[in-house]
Amino acid sequence: MPEIIRELCNGCGLCVAVCSCKGLVLIDNVATVVETVECDYCTQCEAVCPTGAIRCPYEIVVGES
Ligand code: SF4
Ligand code: SF4
């Protein structure tokens, strides 16, 4: 699951809106990962976050075809 750096989160909710698996919620205006939801590692939350508060701690490997 993504890591949220709570100090950087401004509560904008963009990551919550973009997550296709509903794996993120706002609690006390801070994005929080719902541990029971299966994250498909789309990295949309990381991409959309304006403050860099989300890190997806894995590498995207683009295969050559
Ligand atoms: S990586 Fe994708 S599926 Fe996983 S929490 Fe972020 S937006 Fe949701
Ligand atoms: S997109 Fe970033 S700043 Fe906005 S709620 Fe999510 S983690 Fe916080």
Side-chain angles (χ1 to χ4, degrees):
M1 294 298 282
E3 281 174 52
I4 314 253
I5 300 145
R6 297 178 58 88
E7 297 74 39
L8 294 181
C9 176
N10 67 11
C12 71
L14 286 174
C15 58
V16 176
V18 83
C19 178
S20 55
C21 74
K22 309 251 190 305
L24 298 163
V25 292
L26 283 181
I27 296 177
D28 295 334
N29 233 26
V30 176
T32 304
V33 173
V34 181
E35 301 284 350
T36 52
V37 167
E38 203 150 318
C39 165
D40 66 6
Y41 300 110
C42 67
T43 73
Q44 287 299 311
C45 53
E46 182 181 41
V48 81
C49 179
T51 64
I54 301 190
R55 303 272 159 79
C56 294
Y58 40 80
E59 276 183 56
I60 305 292
V61 179
V62 179
E64 288 175 38
S65 56

